[in-house]
Every structure is written in C-alpha cells, then in structure tokens.
Amino acid sequence: GLVRVARLGVFILVNLVAASSGGRFRPGAWYAGLAQPGWTPPNWAFPVVWTTIFCLNAAAGFLVWQASGPQAGVALALYGLSLALNAAWSWLFFGRRRMDLALIDVGLLWLSIAAVIAAFLPHSPLAALLVAPYLLWVTIASALNLRMIQLNPAAA
C-alpha cells in the first residue's frame, strides 16, 4: 500500500535529482557553436530519451528493492553511483565545458550501468532488462562525446 508507493516515490525522486543536472547545465550557445557529427540526434530527442530512461531506471531500482530489500545493497549502491556519474556528466560537459573529463566520466558511467545490470539480474531479471536502454543510450553518448572532442580539438 502506502509504504510501496513511498518507496517508488524515493526511486523517482533519486532519478529526478540526477536528471536535474541536465536541466541545470544546458547545451546553450557554446554547444550550438561546436562542430557536430552528422549522426548527432536532434535536440528534441535528448529530453524524450532521457525522460524515458530515468522512468525505466526508477522502476528498475524499485523492482530490485521490492524483490530483495537490504540484500540488494551492493546492487543499489552501484545504482546510486551510476546516477551520480550521470549527474556529473552534464556539469563537466556543459557546465565546465570539459569534454575531456566528460569523456572519462561517461566511460565510468557506462561501466557502472553495465555493473548495475549484472547486479540487478539475480534480484530481478525484469529490472536488469529495464536498465538495458540506459546502457545503449550511454554507448551512443560516449561515441558522441568522443567525436565532439575529435571535431573540436580547441574546445576540448
């Protein structure tokens, strides 16, 4: 009942906090002035995809907690780490304009999401599956980050 809804609310809130970094550190004129690869997704795609990913991620965390509770401590710690790395990326890339450090961050983010999937699997295969699109999108974001550095060596 109410406890379940509150737990789901906590997972939604934690994802919302991580997502807020993208709202605080926005692309702006600096990003618009950079050379971008032809395969860069359109600007409208980013909020749509990220909203979907954060919703799936919140559901995944909740499912793992419901399945295992405190026994999922390591899995949920990795989950928290991935959200912290996610929030740091927007700050590094758009806030600090450090594409190089953002690339390191997104590589660590990719590894953390892969670890989350592996750690969630024994607790809830569905939760692990719900995180898979996150890994796919961060794979694309990693390649895009690298290509932006290559196309804009002076800005990097």
Side-chain angles (χ1 to χ4, degrees):
L2 189 56
V3 171
R4 229 176 128 174
V5 171
R7 285 185 182 142
L8 177 58
V10 167
F11 283 97
I12 292 169
L13 181 62
V14 168
N15 277 270
L16 187 59
V17 167
S20 71
S21 176
R24 170 117 168 55
F25 303 103
R26 303 183 61 75
W30 170 77
Y31 178 75
L34 296 173
Q36 299 181 19
W39 52 270
T40 301
N43 288 340
W44 64 262
F46 290 94
V48 171
V49 172
W50 277 116
T51 299
T52 303
I53 284 169
F54 281 118
C55 288
L56 293 173
N57 200 49
F62 174 72
L63 287 172
V64 167
W65 178 262
Q66 285 297 110
S68 300
Q71 287 76 30
V74 170
L76 293 172
L78 290 167
Y79 177 87
L81 174 64
S82 72
L83 287 170
L85 288 166
N86 186 304
W89 188 89
S90 294
W91 173 71
L92 289 168
F93 195 95
F94 297 122
R96 304 287 303 159
R97 299 181 180 173
R98 289 295 307 265
M99 290 189 277
D100 55 343
L101 296 179
L103 183 62
I104 294 167
D105 178 82
V106 81
L108 294 171
L109 175 58
W110 192 96
L111 291 171
S112 73
I113 297 166
V116 166
I117 291 171
F120 275 17
L121 195 57
H123 300 284
S124 169
L126 176 57
L129 186 63
L130 291 175
V131 179
Y134 189 8
L135 187 64
L136 175 62
W137 187 249
V138 169
T139 301
I140 294 166
S142 300
L144 184 57
N145 193 154
L146 175 61
R147 191 68 185 124
M148 294 289 289
I149 290 170
Q150 291 169 340
L151 291 172
N152 301 279

